[in-house]
Amino acid sequence: ELKATQGIKDEMIVDKKEEVTIAIDKAEYKQGEVIKYTISNNRNKVIFISSRIYCALDLQKYEYDQWITVEAFGPMCCACEVICEQPPCGSLSPSEKLQEEWSQLIYWCENEKTKIKNTPLGKYRLVLRYGEDEKTSCYYAEVTYSNEFIIK
């Protein structure tokens, strides 16, 4: 059984009353196996997230007794070869759910070219950035963490 760390209590992750949650479908995956997750808006008001879901998410790995953000989780928000702006905000209405999948690929830029690799083995969680104001806080106002999962 996985336990929450760094002051995050299990109740905060699983309590769905009036919170935004991100739930992973399983606790363990083989390397390369598709990971399914669901983002739920359990608040009584609309929330705003990036219209490109990978731009709203971070992947964190538990290493050296702390959570470390893994660079370039999922398909790139922007191509390596261009300078681009954040995509517009999308919305998630009260009680609405968004189901997504992740192929466990990590993307990054090297010499202006996109590189891709499998996610290394370890313990991970997803971090969702969202806001309640479409114009000013779609990306950075609030965060919520998924349940932890293992890639083995």
Side-chain angles (χ1 to χ4, degrees):
E1 179 178 318
L2 297 175
K3 294 182 181 177
T5 57
Q6 278 198 329
I8 298 171
K9 295 182 179 177
D10 291 323
E11 305 90 68
M12 293 175 65
I13 295 173
V14 296
D15 183 10
K16 297 182 180 188
K17 295 178 183 174
E18 298 183 27
E19 293 300 324
V20 176
T21 60
I22 180 166
I24 307 299
D25 68 329
K26 296 187 332 183
E28 292 186 357
Y29 298 88
K30 293 178 183 172
Q31 192 173 39
E33 182 180 356
V34 171
I35 295 175
K36 296 178 183 178
Y37 58 93
T38 303
I39 298 168
S40 301
N41 180 7
N42 300 301
R43 291 185 172 183
N44 59 4
K45 54 187 160 188
V46 173
I47 63 162
F48 296 94
I49 59 176
S50 173
S51 58
R52 291 187 207 155
I53 193 60
Y54 287 115
C55 297
L57 292 171
D58 287 327
L59 176 67
Q60 291 185 338
K61 184 176 186 182
Y62 193 74
E63 288 187 307
Y64 313 110
D65 296 325
Q66 63 183 338
W67 288 103
I68 300 169
T69 299
V70 176
E71 292 299 319
F73 153 69
M76 302 293 283
C77 290
C78 302
C80 293
E81 298 80 17
V82 299
I83 296 173
C84 66
E85 297 178 5
Q86 291 277 17
C89 292
S91 64
L92 205 59
S93 299
S95 302
E96 188 175 358
K97 295 180 183 216
L98 177 63
Q99 294 181 323
E100 294 287 335
E101 294 182 351
W102 173 49
S103 63
Q104 290 193 32
L105 295 177
I106 295 176
Y107 295 68
W108 77 97
C109 293
E110 189 175 293
N111 299 323
E112 297 186 0
K113 299 291 181 195
T114 301
K115 301 288 184 177
I116 304 170
K117 69 177 181 179
N118 287 320
T119 302
L121 305 180
K123 179 166 58 171
Y124 293 89
R125 69 181 180 185
L126 294 179
V127 182
L128 174 69
R129 295 182 311 279
Y130 65 95
E132 295 179 352
D133 180 344
E134 180 177 19
K135 294 183 180 176
T136 61
S137 66
C138 160
Y139 291 97
Y140 305 108
E142 298 186 53
V143 297
T144 192
Y145 301 94
S146 74
N147 44 312
E148 298 168 10
F149 58 96
I150 303 287
I151 297 176
K152 57 182 189 166

